[in-house]
Amino acid sequence: MTMSAGWYLRRLSRMGPREIGGRAVDAVRRRRWRSARPACPSVTGARFTAVLPAGTIAAVPPDAAKRLIAEADRLMYGHAEYFGVVRDDLADPDWWYDPKTGRRAPWGYAFDVPYRDEDTVGDIKQIWELSRHQYLTQLAAAYAITGNERYAERVAEHLRSWWAANAPLRGVHWISGIELGIRLLSWVWIRRLLDGWPGAAGLFEGNPVALNHIWHHQRWLAAFPSRGSSANNHVIAEAAGQLAAACAFGWFPSSARWRADALRSLERHLRGNTFDSGLNRELATEYHGLVLELGLAAVAEADTAGVPVPASIRLVLLRMTDALAAIVDSCLRPPRQGDADDGHGLVVDGAGTDRWGSLLATGDAVFGSLDWWPEVTGTDVRTPLLAALIEPTRPATTRPASRPAHFADAGLTILRGPGEIWCRCDGGPHGFLSIAAHAHADALSVEVRHDGVDVLADPGTYCYHGQPAWRRYFRSTLGHNTLESDGSDQSVSGGPFLWLRHARSRVLAVDTPGEGVARWCAEHDGYQRSVHRRRVELTAASRELRVVDEVRGPSRDVRLAFHLGPAIAADLVGNRAVLTWMRDGEGRSAVLDLPGQLSWRAHRGETDPPLGWYSAGFGRKEPTTTLVGTGFADGAEGFTTVLRFRG
């Protein structure tokens, strides 16, 4: 997917003067760096002191260690899966190869590589993911737990291979700051986890090639920070990686300056990226998790190095953790909202470890849990490692006395009912910053689960680059449980990560009593002269969810969509659908009575155009049932949908 001149003009229109000036400076610097390649300053007597405290590895729960070792052994045999693509070439990887398309990215000056052009480069996510080196942190953690040197030797072999193949400023791995930041964080943890291995010092501080790469990564991050309308989760990763490296690898003349600048950037952008309620402003839940992981990892490095951390950083991380505890369902799954690309900040666990439970366990260790927090029953490797480095803290703030249900600044409301009924209502901003890069056109959408099973599901994300029809579908209004008018999205897209006009939503009423009827009402103005208003009521006694949609203004052709989760079977007759699914070996059911004014049809796995799909993770999709009602809204009456859960 190459960007046209029109795209660049649309992108420019979303920038302010300061951002334009900063990007102009970046462009000049990129041209100058093409020929000016300074050498890494000489380093003598470097020592790595950011080690784990004694006894830390012994605190890793045995079942978590077992999962990690199983994952490490798969990696040793060369097996892994990234974004739905199975790989068996990781024993000796080609760092520029995309196994999805079979293409190999071209060599050349980094900023000349057309990384958005899949025909030339391949799927850039597939290429970049391996070079985050998070699979190497898993192997290093396996060494730390077992003492088996074959894991350490494989890590060393792959790092030397990567350093040799990716000279500074050459190729696809020197294009994006988030990749450099996360890679630096991985290298810090690899060095820490390999500390007991005799070859660790020779691999890092005693290795001129390693020192050269570490220095050039930090020089790059200092020169090209994400700016203005792009200062979302990327800038957090850049700051976290820079801070981690400047603390743990503080061997260079610029280390103190890099450390101070990164800490200031982290403090500023953590606050800027986070609502006061603790939810991430991108309103894309997986990025909430990524930013929280990055923030905790950065604080761990600062605390280990004895670098004072502003209280505001810990306060934001505390609020993010409390917010996460508030919004998860009975299975510790948060909303599936906005973009999700399976990005992690620090990976030291094996498959089967619950990401969200791990974050809550770390939050409990660092900040202390509250009485209303859900119970975390799983275990992980990462929590005892981070908890050993982060100074336990109790920020001077008042924490919620009971579980919050409504986050006014984020426009997110959770309605809960008996039988573990969980319903997310979206009445918040379209997205973050002027481009709202990771937003979907999902205003007033609902997401409903029963005992952790998706019933009315958010379909997910599936892809970013290279498949524009699928990218449009998964971020479209029709691709969510809400109402589409005149075949148009509520917000106007200008590209795969660019929104030109944002629908404005506002929550009109919220009532979330512990018992009785929970209510929510909101509206948005995305349809120009018409306003879409939605009311949702969850009645505990009858286990009934009622959704009423109104279109106020000129008459419109509308489509009302309800996307069922992949576990749900639907029998649609007229305007009634009987839903059935299995949970823990038991059959469950519900009845969905749909508005009779609309003509209803079930869609499943259609491709031209796409409709009826669910993406459980980036790069993966599967057919599911989507119920679409088509008709006319004249403003005289609303459309009422009733979902009744059977006992």
Side-chain angles (χ1 to χ4, degrees):
M1 180 186 300
T2 55
M3 299 295 107
S4 66
W7 179 87
Y8 283 104
L9 289 174
R10 293 192 297 272
R11 184 65 182 85
L12 187 66
S13 73
R14 308 305 293 172
M15 300 180 193
R18 184 173 181 179
E19 180 179 356
I20 292 172
R23 289 178 181 269
V25 171
D26 289 348
V28 171
R29 183 175 287 126
R30 289 188 183 105
R31 286 198 297 270
R32 190 170 69 244
W33 279 26
R34 181 187 298 274
S35 56
R37 302 177 203 162
C40 169
S42 61
V43 174
T44 58
R47 293 177 58 246
F48 183 82
T49 59
V51 299
L52 289 169
T56 299
I57 297 299
V60 173
D63 57 334
K66 183 178 179 179
R67 289 193 303 272
L68 170 64
I69 300 307
E71 184 75 17
D73 288 341
R74 283 191 291 272
L75 292 168
M76 290 294 291
Y77 283 109
H79 302 309
E81 179 181 331
Y82 295 111
F83 311 134
V85 177
V86 176
R87 301 188 63 159
D88 58 6
D89 60 340
L90 263 63
D92 183 19
D94 181 340
W95 303 107
W96 293 15
Y97 175 69
D98 165 30
K100 177 181 170 183
T101 63
R103 297 186 179 95
R104 194 169 187 272
W107 173 259
Y109 182 56
F111 298 116
D112 290 343
V113 177
Y115 69 96
R116 294 188 180 97
D117 184 354
E118 188 168 298
D119 291 336
T120 301
V121 175
D123 186 331
I124 193 63
K125 286 283 290 177
Q126 289 286 346
I127 298 172
W128 277 345
E129 188 68 18
L130 192 65
S131 288
R132 289 186 172 189
H133 289 170
Q134 292 176 326
Y135 79 100
L136 295 182
T137 58
Q138 292 173 305
L139 290 175
Y143 165 76
I145 289 172
T146 66
N148 189 327
E149 293 192 359
R150 70 189 185 102
Y151 298 122
E153 290 164 357
R154 176 62 60 82
V155 171
E157 176 187 341
H158 281 205
L159 284 178
R160 291 191 177 105
S161 168
W162 194 93
W163 290 331
N166 293 278
L169 295 177
R170 290 295 177 268
V172 293
H173 298 303
W174 291 89
I175 296 171
S176 175
I178 187 174
E179 303 305 317
L180 276 74
I182 290 177
R183 191 155 54 240
L184 278 177
L185 188 59
S186 294
W187 291 354
V188 168
W189 274 90
I190 289 167
R191 176 60 184 89
R192 173 176 291 126
L193 292 164
L194 293 185
D195 192 60
W197 180 53
L203 179 63
F204 280 92
E205 57 266 33
N207 181 359
V209 176
L211 293 173
N212 186 52
H213 271 275
I214 293 168
W215 183 79
H216 273 285
H217 271 65
Q218 293 182 86
R219 175 177 178 258
W220 193 108
L221 290 173
F224 300 111
S226 292
R227 299 179 184 276
S229 56
S230 295
N232 53 9
N233 64 86
H234 284 232
V235 78
I236 304 295
E238 294 159 11
Q242 182 79 298
L243 178 61
C247 287
F249 301 147
W251 309 315
F252 307 103
S254 297
S255 291
R257 174 171 57 82
W258 288 337
R259 186 165 55 241
D261 289 348
L263 193 59
R264 280 193 297 269
S265 177
L266 184 67
E267 193 274 338
R268 173 190 170 194
H269 290 293
L270 263 180
R271 285 190 293 106
N273 275 253
T274 310
F275 287 112
D276 288 343
S277 64
L279 290 179
N280 183 266
R281 286 184 182 270
E282 292 197 76
L283 295 174
T285 312
E286 280 212 5
Y287 287 107
H288 181 104
L290 173 63
V291 169
L292 181 53
E293 289 172 355
L294 291 167
L296 289 168
V299 169
E301 299 307 327
D303 284 353
T304 301
V307 175
V309 175
S312 58
I313 290 180
R314 298 184 196 271
L315 178 59
V316 170
L317 297 176
L318 167 64
R319 287 175 173 165
M320 291 183 72
T321 309
D322 278 342
L324 176 62
I327 63 177
V328 295
D329 65 17
S330 59
C331 295
L332 301 185
R333 294 178 61 220
R336 286 166 52 87
Q337 182 179 19
D339 273 348
D341 70 349
D342 298 352
H344 292 259
L346 173 64
V347 181
V348 289
D349 276 284
T353 301
D354 178 42
R355 174 186 195 173
W356 308 105
S358 170
L359 277 170
L360 292 176
T362 304
D364 184 15
V366 174
F367 303 117
S369 62
L370 297 172
D371 291 341
W372 54 263
W373 273 33
E375 181 183 3
V376 177
T377 57
T379 61
D380 69 310
V381 174
R382 189 176 60 190
T383 288
L385 302 187
L386 285 175
L389 301 179
I390 301 175
E391 294 291 334
T393 183
R394 300 294 184 268
T397 187
T398 301
R399 299 171 69 183
S402 59
R403 190 175 202 170
H406 177 58
F407 297 80
D409 47 12
L412 184 145
T413 305
I414 305 293
L415 309 181
R416 298 178 188 270
E420 304 299 345
I421 299 171
W422 176 98
C423 173
R424 171 181 66 87
C425 302
D426 178 7
H430 174 61
F432 183 47
L433 301 174
S434 62
I435 64 173
H438 291 297
H440 290 185
D442 58 356
L444 309 195
S445 64
V446 296
E447 184 183 2
V448 181
R449 300 176 191 159
H450 185 281
D451 201 18
V453 175
D454 290 310
V455 179
L456 302 182
D458 184 301
T461 299
Y462 178 55
C463 65
Y464 281 169
H465 301 286
Q467 298 172 284
W470 289 102
R471 177 64 171 155
R472 284 193 298 270
Y473 169 68
F474 275 99
R475 67 205 290 255
S476 70
T477 297
L478 185 63
H480 295 83
N481 298 317
T482 188
L483 182 142
E484 178 202 74
S485 175
D486 289 344
S488 300
D489 287 337
Q490 310 148 338
S491 296
V492 177
S493 173
F497 297 97
L498 172 62
W499 293 93
L500 300 177
R501 181 174 57 78
H502 304 181
R504 295 176 299 178
S505 302
R506 61 173 183 151
V507 176
L508 303 175
V510 175
D511 184 15
T512 56
E515 300 178 353
V517 181
R519 296 181 174 88
W520 173 88
C521 180
E523 64 183 21
H524 76 80
D525 66 356
Y527 297 132
Q528 301 297 316
R529 294 177 297 157
S530 296
V531 171
H532 174 205
R533 178 174 292 183
R534 168 170 277 186
R535 301 195 308 275
V536 179
E537 296 181 353
L538 176 58
T539 304
S542 59
R543 294 160 51 81
E544 175 183 290
L545 186 77
R546 181 177 296 266
V547 181
V548 180
D549 290 290
E550 302 174 41
V551 180
R552 301 188 172 196
S555 300
R556 299 273 188 167
D557 291 316
V558 299
R559 287 192 289 182
L560 181 60
F562 291 106
H563 301 260
L564 307 182
I568 308 299
D571 182 13
L572 175 66
V573 178
N575 68 316
R576 168 170 283 195
V578 177
L579 314 181
T580 55
W581 66 96
M582 299 295 292
R583 181 72 165 94
D584 297 331
E586 296 183 2
R588 308 287 177 87
S589 65
V591 174
L592 185 62
D593 284 319
L594 301 158
Q597 309 100 303
L598 302 177
S599 176
W600 289 91
R601 181 184 168 193
H603 302 261
R604 185 176 181 87
E606 299 172 10
T607 58
D608 189 19
L611 186 59
W613 295 90
Y614 178 93
S615 174
F618 197 83
R620 292 174 286 152
K621 68 180 187 301
E622 59 184 301
T624 191
T625 300
T626 297
L627 305 175
V628 178
T630 305
F632 196 67
D634 59 10
E637 58 180 328
F639 304 114
T640 300
T641 304
V642 181
L643 175 64
R644 297 182 182 88
F645 291 97
R646 292 171 172 171

